[in-house]
């Protein structure tokens, strides 16, 4: 894993995972983060990624969005700079921790 970001699994329930990532997000590290998350979350059906501690260091579109391939649904808590980076229908944006938690817990999706 790149030394430019830190990845932590905070919760697992069945095929759901809650992960937090901190560090610097650049065009180069977004590909490495995508690969790491895909490897760790490939079998998940629902993933919540807390990317609020990521520093987005580019205004250019990222060539590879950092979220994983594989999961059916991805809920993101993320810096505003990442919102314009995807049209992926699996991605659901959250600005509040409690709404992401409810989505992960199955209260709403």
């Amino acid at each position: 894993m790149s030394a430019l970001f830190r990845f932590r699994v905070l919760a697992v329930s069945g095929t759901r995972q809650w992960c937090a990532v901190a560090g610097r997000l650049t065009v180069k590290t977004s590909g490495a983060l995508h690969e790491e998350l895909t490897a760790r979350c490939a079998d998940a059906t629902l993933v919540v990624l807390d990317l609020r501690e990521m520093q987005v260091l580019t205004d250019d579109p990222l060539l590879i969005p950092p979220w994983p391939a594989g999961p059916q649904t991805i809920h993101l808590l993320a810096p505003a700079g990442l919102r314009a980076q995807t049209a992926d229908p699996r991605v659901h944006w959250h600005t509040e921790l409690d709404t992401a938690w409810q989505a992960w817990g199955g209260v709403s999706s």
Side-chain angles (χ1 to χ4, degrees):
M1 180 186 300
S2 170
L4 298 176
F5 56 84
R6 182 181 66 232
F7 173 89
R8 297 174 289 150
V9 176
L10 301 178
V12 176
S13 177
T15 60
R16 296 175 295 164
Q17 290 190 39
W18 184 291
C19 306
V21 183
R24 296 177 178 188
L25 190 63
T26 65
V27 172
K28 189 179 231 182
T29 61
S30 68
L33 181 55
H34 170 80
E35 289 177 16
E36 183 69 25
L37 288 171
T38 296
R40 292 182 183 246
C41 302
D43 295 331
T45 57
L46 184 144
V47 173
V48 172
L49 294 178
D50 185 344
L51 305 180
R52 293 176 296 168
E53 292 185 27
M54 294 295 297
Q55 298 172 330
V56 181
L57 299 180
T58 180
D59 290 332
D60 297 329
L62 301 172
L63 297 176
I64 300 172
W67 34 91
Q72 297 168 359
T73 305
I74 301 168
H75 292 273
L76 289 179
L77 286 155
L82 286 177
R83 287 185 181 259
Q85 299 290 333
T86 188
D88 189 331
R90 302 173 305 143
V91 174
H92 304 274
W93 295 95
H94 295 271
T95 56
E96 301 293 329
L97 181 62
D98 61 336
T99 63
W101 179 256
Q102 290 171 2
W104 183 82
V107 176
S108 67
S109 56

Coordinates of all heavy atoms in Angstrom, one line a residue, residues 3-67:
A3 N 2.5 4.7 0.8 CA 2.7 5.5 2.1 C 1.9 6.8 2.1 O 1.9 7.5 3.1 CB 4.2 5.7 2.3
L4 N 1.3 7.1 1.0 CA 0.6 8.4 0.9 C -0.8 8.4 1.4 O -1.5 9.4 1.4 CB 0.7 8.9 -0.6 CG 2.1 9.2 -1.1 CD1 2.0 9.6 -2.6 CD2 2.8 10.2 -0.3
F5 N -1.3 7.2 1.7 CA -2.6 7.1 2.3 C -2.7 6.0 3.3 O -1.9 5.0 3.3 CB -3.7 6.9 1.2 CG -3.6 5.8 0.3 CD1 -4.0 4.5 0.7 CD2 -3.0 5.9 -0.9 CE1 -3.9 3.4 -0.2 CE2 -2.9 4.8 -1.8 CZ -3.3 3.6 -1.4
R6 N -3.6 6.1 4.2 CA -3.8 5.1 5.3 C -5.2 4.5 5.1 O -6.2 5.3 5.0 CB -3.7 5.7 6.7 CG -3.8 4.8 7.8 CD -3.6 5.5 9.2 NE -4.8 6.4 9.4 CZ -4.6 7.7 9.7 NH1 -3.4 8.2 9.8 NH2 -5.7 8.4 9.8
F7 N -5.4 3.2 5.1 CA -6.6 2.5 4.9 C -7.0 1.8 6.2 O -6.1 1.0 6.7 CB -6.5 1.6 3.8 CG -7.7 0.7 3.6 CD1 -8.7 1.1 2.7 CD2 -7.8 -0.6 4.2 CE1 -9.8 0.3 2.5 CE2 -8.9 -1.4 4.0 CZ -9.9 -1.0 3.2
R8 N -8.2 1.9 6.7 CA -8.6 1.2 7.9 C -10.0 0.6 7.7 O -10.9 1.3 7.2 CB -8.7 2.1 9.1 CG -7.3 2.6 9.5 CD -7.4 3.6 10.7 NE -8.1 4.8 10.1 CZ -8.8 5.7 10.8 NH1 -9.1 5.5 12.1 NH2 -9.3 6.7 10.3
V9 N -10.2 -0.7 8.0 CA -11.6 -1.2 8.0 C -12.1 -1.0 9.4 O -11.6 -1.4 10.4 CB -11.6 -2.8 7.7 CG1 -13.0 -3.3 7.8 CG2 -11.0 -3.0 6.3
L10 N -13.2 -0.3 9.5 CA -13.8 0.1 10.8 C -14.9 -0.8 11.3 O -15.1 -1.0 12.5 CB -14.3 1.5 10.8 CG -13.3 2.6 10.4 CD1 -14.0 4.0 10.4 CD2 -12.2 2.6 11.4
A11 N -15.6 -1.4 10.3 CA -16.7 -2.3 10.7 C -17.0 -3.3 9.5 O -16.9 -2.9 8.3 CB -18.0 -1.5 11.0
V12 N -17.4 -4.5 9.9 CA -17.8 -5.5 8.9 C -19.1 -6.2 9.4 O -19.1 -6.5 10.6 CB -16.7 -6.6 8.7 CG1 -17.2 -7.7 7.7 CG2 -15.4 -5.9 8.2
S13 N -20.1 -6.4 8.6 CA -21.3 -7.1 8.9 C -21.8 -7.8 7.7 O -22.2 -7.2 6.7 CB -22.3 -6.1 9.4 OG -23.5 -6.8 9.7
G14 N -21.6 -9.1 7.7 CA -22.0 -9.9 6.5 C -21.2 -9.4 5.3 O -19.9 -9.5 5.4
T15 N -21.8 -9.0 4.3 CA -21.1 -8.5 3.1 C -21.0 -7.0 3.0 O -20.8 -6.4 2.0 CB -21.8 -9.0 1.8 OG1 -23.2 -8.5 1.8 CG2 -21.8 -10.5 1.7
R16 N -21.2 -6.3 4.2 CA -21.1 -4.9 4.2 C -19.8 -4.5 5.0 O -19.4 -5.2 5.9 CB -22.3 -4.3 5.0 CG -23.6 -4.5 4.3 CD -24.7 -4.0 5.2 NE -24.8 -4.8 6.4 CZ -25.4 -4.5 7.5 NH1 -26.1 -3.4 7.5 NH2 -25.4 -5.3 8.5
Q17 N -19.1 -3.5 4.4 CA -17.9 -3.0 5.1 C -18.0 -1.5 5.2 O -18.5 -0.8 4.4 CB -16.7 -3.3 4.2 CG -16.3 -4.8 4.2 CD -15.0 -5.0 3.5 OE1 -14.0 -4.3 3.7 NE2 -14.9 -6.1 2.7
W18 N -17.3 -1.0 6.3 CA -17.2 0.4 6.5 C -15.7 0.7 6.6 O -15.0 0.1 7.4 CB -17.8 0.8 7.8 CG -17.8 2.3 8.1 CD1 -16.7 3.1 8.4 CD2 -18.9 3.2 8.0 NE1 -17.0 4.4 8.5 CE2 -18.4 4.5 8.3 CE3 -20.3 3.1 7.8 CZ2 -19.2 5.6 8.4 CZ3 -21.1 4.2 7.9 CH2 -20.5 5.5 8.2
C19 N -15.2 1.5 5.7 CA -13.7 1.7 5.6 C -13.4 3.2 5.7 O -14.3 4.1 5.3 CB -13.2 1.2 4.3 SG -13.5 -0.5 4.0
A20 N -12.3 3.6 6.3 CA -11.9 5.0 6.3 C -10.5 5.1 5.7 O -9.7 4.2 5.9 CB -11.8 5.5 7.8
V21 N -10.3 6.1 4.9 CA -9.1 6.4 4.2 C -8.6 7.8 4.5 O -9.4 8.7 4.4 CB -9.2 6.1 2.7 CG1 -7.8 6.3 2.0 CG2 -9.7 4.7 2.4
A22 N -7.4 8.0 4.8 CA -6.8 9.3 5.0 C -5.5 9.4 4.1 O -4.9 8.4 3.9 CB -6.5 9.5 6.4
G23 N -5.2 10.6 3.7 CA -4.0 10.8 3.0 C -4.2 11.8 1.8 O -5.1 12.6 1.8
R24 N -3.2 11.8 0.9 CA -3.2 12.7 -0.2 C -3.7 11.9 -1.5 O -3.2 10.9 -1.8 CB -1.8 13.2 -0.5 CG -1.3 14.0 0.7 CD 0.2 14.4 0.4 NE 0.6 15.2 1.5 CZ 1.8 15.8 1.5 NH1 2.6 15.7 0.5 NH2 2.1 16.6 2.5
L25 N -4.7 12.5 -2.1 CA -5.3 11.9 -3.3 C -4.8 12.7 -4.5 O -5.1 13.9 -4.7 CB -6.8 11.9 -3.2 CG -7.5 11.1 -4.3 CD1 -7.1 9.6 -4.2 CD2 -9.0 11.2 -4.2
T26 N -4.0 12.0 -5.4 CA -3.5 12.6 -6.6 C -3.9 11.7 -7.7 O -4.5 10.6 -7.5 CB -2.0 12.7 -6.6 OG1 -1.4 11.4 -6.5 CG2 -1.5 13.6 -5.4
V27 N -3.6 12.0 -8.9 CA -3.9 11.2 -10.1 C -3.2 9.8 -9.9 O -3.7 8.8 -10.1 CB -3.5 11.8 -11.4 CG1 -3.6 10.9 -12.6 CG2 -4.4 13.0 -11.7
K28 N -1.9 9.9 -9.4 CA -1.1 8.7 -9.2 C -1.7 7.8 -8.0 O -1.8 6.6 -8.2 CB 0.3 9.1 -8.9 CG 1.3 7.9 -8.9 CD 2.7 8.5 -8.7 CE 3.6 7.9 -9.7 NZ 5.0 8.3 -9.5
T29 N -2.0 8.4 -6.9 CA -2.4 7.6 -5.8 C -3.8 7.2 -5.9 O -4.2 6.2 -5.3 CB -2.2 8.4 -4.4 OG1 -3.0 9.6 -4.5 CG2 -0.8 8.7 -4.2
S30 N -4.7 7.8 -6.7 CA -6.0 7.4 -6.9 C -6.1 6.0 -7.5 O -6.9 5.1 -7.1 CB -6.9 8.3 -7.7 OG -6.4 8.4 -9.1
G31 N -5.2 5.7 -8.4 CA -5.1 4.3 -9.0 C -4.7 3.3 -8.0 O -5.2 2.2 -7.9
A32 N -3.7 3.6 -7.1 CA -3.2 2.7 -6.1 C -4.3 2.5 -5.1 O -4.5 1.3 -4.6 CB -2.0 3.3 -5.4
L33 N -5.0 3.5 -4.7 CA -6.1 3.4 -3.7 C -7.3 2.6 -4.3 O -7.8 1.7 -3.6 CB -6.6 4.8 -3.3 CG -7.7 4.8 -2.2 CD1 -7.4 3.9 -1.0 CD2 -8.1 6.2 -1.9
H34 N -7.6 2.8 -5.6 CA -8.6 2.0 -6.3 C -8.2 0.5 -6.2 O -9.1 -0.3 -5.9 CB -8.8 2.5 -7.7 CG -9.6 1.6 -8.5 ND1 -11.0 1.6 -8.5 CD2 -9.3 0.6 -9.4 CE1 -11.5 0.7 -9.3 NE2 -10.4 0.1 -9.9
E35 N -7.0 0.2 -6.5 CA -6.6 -1.2 -6.5 C -6.7 -1.8 -5.1 O -7.1 -3.0 -4.9 CB -5.1 -1.3 -7.0 CG -5.0 -1.1 -8.5 CD -3.6 -1.1 -9.0 OE1 -2.7 -1.6 -8.3 OE2 -3.3 -0.6 -10.1
E36 N -6.2 -1.1 -4.1 CA -6.3 -1.6 -2.7 C -7.7 -1.8 -2.3 O -8.0 -2.8 -1.7 CB -5.6 -0.6 -1.8 CG -5.5 -1.0 -0.4 CD -4.6 -2.2 -0.1 OE1 -3.6 -2.4 -0.9 OE2 -4.8 -2.9 0.9
L37 N -8.6 -0.8 -2.5 CA -10.0 -1.0 -2.1 C -10.7 -2.1 -2.9 O -11.5 -2.8 -2.3 CB -10.7 0.3 -2.3 CG -10.4 1.4 -1.3 CD1 -11.0 2.8 -1.7 CD2 -10.8 1.1 0.1
T38 N -10.4 -2.2 -4.1 CA -11.0 -3.3 -4.9 C -10.5 -4.7 -4.4 O -11.4 -5.6 -4.2 CB -10.6 -3.2 -6.4 OG1 -11.2 -2.0 -6.9 CG2 -11.1 -4.4 -7.2
A39 N -9.3 -4.8 -4.0 CA -8.8 -6.1 -3.5 C -9.5 -6.4 -2.1 O -9.8 -7.5 -1.9 CB -7.3 -6.0 -3.3
R40 N -9.7 -5.4 -1.3 CA -10.2 -5.6 0.0 C -11.7 -5.7 0.1 O -12.3 -6.2 1.0 CB -9.8 -4.5 1.0 CG -8.3 -4.6 1.3 CD -7.9 -3.5 2.2 NE -6.5 -3.5 2.5 CZ -5.9 -3.8 3.6 NH1 -6.7 -4.2 4.7 NH2 -4.6 -3.8 3.8
C41 N -12.4 -5.1 -0.9 CA -13.9 -4.9 -0.9 C -14.6 -5.6 -2.1 O -15.8 -5.5 -2.3 CB -14.3 -3.4 -0.9 SG -13.6 -2.5 0.4
A42 N -13.8 -6.4 -2.8 CA -14.4 -7.0 -4.0 C -15.6 -7.9 -3.7 O -16.6 -7.9 -4.6 CB -13.3 -7.9 -4.7
D43 N -15.7 -8.6 -2.6 CA -16.8 -9.5 -2.3 C -17.9 -8.8 -1.5 O -18.9 -9.4 -1.2 CB -16.3 -10.7 -1.5 CG -15.3 -11.5 -2.3 OD1 -15.5 -11.6 -3.6 OD2 -14.5 -12.2 -1.7
A44 N -17.7 -7.5 -1.2 CA -18.8 -6.8 -0.5 C -19.9 -6.4 -1.4 O -19.7 -6.2 -2.6 CB -18.2 -5.5 0.1
T45 N -21.1 -6.4 -0.8 CA -22.3 -5.9 -1.6 C -22.5 -4.4 -1.3 O -23.0 -3.7 -2.2 CB -23.5 -6.6 -1.2 OG1 -23.8 -6.5 0.2 CG2 -23.4 -8.1 -1.6
L46 N -22.1 -3.9 -0.1 CA -22.3 -2.5 0.2 C -21.0 -2.1 1.0 O -20.6 -2.8 1.9 CB -23.5 -2.4 1.1 CG -23.8 -0.9 1.5 CD1 -25.4 -0.8 1.6 CD2 -23.2 -0.5 2.8
V47 N -20.5 -1.0 0.5 CA -19.3 -0.4 1.2 C -19.6 1.1 1.5 O -20.1 1.8 0.6 CB -18.0 -0.5 0.3 CG1 -16.9 0.2 0.9 CG2 -17.7 -2.0 0.0
V48 N -19.2 1.5 2.7 CA -19.2 2.9 3.0 C -17.7 3.3 3.1 O -17.0 2.6 3.8 CB -19.9 3.2 4.4 CG1 -19.7 4.7 4.8 CG2 -21.4 2.9 4.3
L49 N -17.4 4.3 2.4 CA -16.0 4.8 2.4 C -16.0 6.2 3.0 O -16.7 7.1 2.5 CB -15.4 4.9 1.0 CG -15.2 3.6 0.3 CD1 -14.7 3.9 -1.1 CD2 -14.2 2.7 1.1
D50 N -15.3 6.4 4.1 CA -15.2 7.7 4.7 C -13.9 8.3 4.2 O -12.8 7.9 4.7 CB -15.2 7.5 6.3 CG -15.1 8.9 7.0 OD1 -14.8 9.9 6.3 OD2 -15.4 8.9 8.2
L51 N -14.0 9.2 3.3 CA -12.8 9.8 2.7 C -12.7 11.2 3.1 O -11.9 12.0 2.5 CB -12.9 9.7 1.1 CG -13.1 8.4 0.5 CD1 -13.2 8.5 -1.0 CD2 -12.0 7.4 0.9
R52 N -13.3 11.6 4.2 CA -13.3 13.0 4.7 C -11.9 13.5 5.0 O -11.6 14.7 5.0 CB -14.2 13.2 5.8 CG -15.7 13.0 5.4 CD -16.6 13.1 6.6 NE -16.3 12.0 7.5 CZ -16.8 12.0 8.8 NH1 -17.5 12.9 9.3 NH2 -16.5 10.9 9.5
E53 N -11.0 12.6 5.4 CA -9.6 13.0 5.7 C -8.7 12.9 4.5 O -7.5 13.1 4.7 CB -9.1 12.1 6.8 CG -9.8 12.3 8.1 CD -9.2 11.5 9.3 OE1 -8.0 11.2 9.2 OE2 -9.9 11.2 10.2
M54 N -9.2 12.7 3.3 CA -8.4 12.7 2.1 C -8.2 14.2 1.7 O -9.1 15.0 1.7 CB -9.1 12.0 0.9 CG -9.2 10.5 1.1 SD -7.7 9.6 1.2 CE -7.0 9.8 -0.4
Q55 N -7.0 14.5 1.3 CA -6.7 15.8 0.7 C -6.6 15.6 -0.8 O -5.8 14.8 -1.3 CB -5.3 16.3 1.1 CG -5.2 16.5 2.6 CD -3.7 16.8 3.0 OE1 -2.8 16.3 2.4 NE2 -3.6 17.5 4.1
V56 N -7.5 16.3 -1.5 CA -7.6 16.2 -3.0 C -6.6 17.2 -3.5 O -6.8 18.4 -3.4 CB -9.0 16.4 -3.5 CG1 -9.0 16.3 -5.1 CG2 -9.9 15.4 -2.9
L57 N -5.5 16.7 -4.1 CA -4.4 17.6 -4.5 C -4.4 18.0 -6.0 O -3.4 18.4 -6.5 CB -3.1 17.0 -4.2 CG -2.9 16.7 -2.7 CD1 -1.5 16.1 -2.4 CD2 -3.0 18.0 -1.9
T58 N -5.5 17.7 -6.7 CA -5.6 18.1 -8.1 C -6.9 18.6 -8.5 O -7.9 18.2 -7.9 CB -5.2 16.9 -9.0 OG1 -5.3 17.3 -10.4 CG2 -6.2 15.7 -8.8
D59 N -7.0 19.5 -9.4 CA -8.3 20.0 -9.9 C -8.6 19.2 -11.1 O -9.7 19.3 -11.6 CB -8.2 21.5 -10.3 CG -8.1 22.4 -9.0 OD1 -8.6 21.9 -8.0 OD2 -7.6 23.5 -9.1
D60 N -7.6 18.5 -11.7 CA -7.9 17.6 -12.9 C -8.7 16.4 -12.5 O -8.6 15.9 -11.4 CB -6.6 17.2 -13.5 CG -5.7 18.3 -13.9 OD1 -6.3 19.3 -14.4 OD2 -4.5 18.2 -13.9
P61 N -9.6 16.0 -13.4 CA -10.3 14.7 -13.1 C -9.3 13.6 -12.9 O -8.3 13.5 -13.6 CB -11.1 14.5 -14.4 CG -11.1 15.8 -15.1 CD -9.9 16.5 -14.7
L62 N -9.6 12.8 -11.9 CA -8.8 11.6 -11.6 C -9.1 10.6 -12.7 O -10.2 10.3 -13.1 CB -9.2 11.0 -10.3 CG -9.0 12.0 -9.1 CD1 -9.5 11.4 -7.8 CD2 -7.5 12.3 -8.9
L63 N -8.0 10.0 -13.2 CA -8.2 9.0 -14.3 C -8.9 7.8 -13.8 O -9.7 7.2 -14.5 CB -6.8 8.6 -14.9 CG -6.0 9.7 -15.5 CD1 -4.6 9.2 -15.9 CD2 -6.7 10.3 -16.7
I64 N -8.7 7.4 -12.6 CA -9.3 6.2 -12.0 C -10.0 6.7 -10.7 O -9.2 7.1 -9.8 CB -8.3 5.1 -11.7 CG1 -7.7 4.6 -13.0 CG2 -9.0 3.9 -11.0 CD1 -6.5 3.6 -12.7
P65 N -11.3 6.7 -10.6 CA -11.9 7.0 -9.3 C -11.4 6.1 -8.2 O -11.2 4.9 -8.4 CB -13.4 6.8 -9.5 CG -13.6 6.9 -11.0 CD -12.3 6.4 -11.6
P66 N -11.1 6.6 -7.0 CA -10.5 5.7 -6.0 C -11.4 4.7 -5.4 O -10.9 3.7 -4.8 CB -10.1 6.8 -4.9 CG -11.0 7.9 -5.1 CD -11.3 8.0 -6.6
W67 N -12.7 4.8 -5.5 CA -13.5 3.7 -4.9 C -13.4 2.4 -5.7 O -13.0 2.4 -6.8 CB -15.0 4.2 -4.8 CG -15.4 5.1 -5.9 CD1 -16.0 4.7 -7.1 CD2 -15.3 6.5 -6.0 NE1 -16.3 5.8 -7.9 CE2 -15.9 6.9 -7.2 CE3 -14.8 7.4 -5.1 CZ2 -15.9 8.2 -7.6 CZ3 -14.9 8.8 -5.5 CH2 -15.4 9.1 -6.7

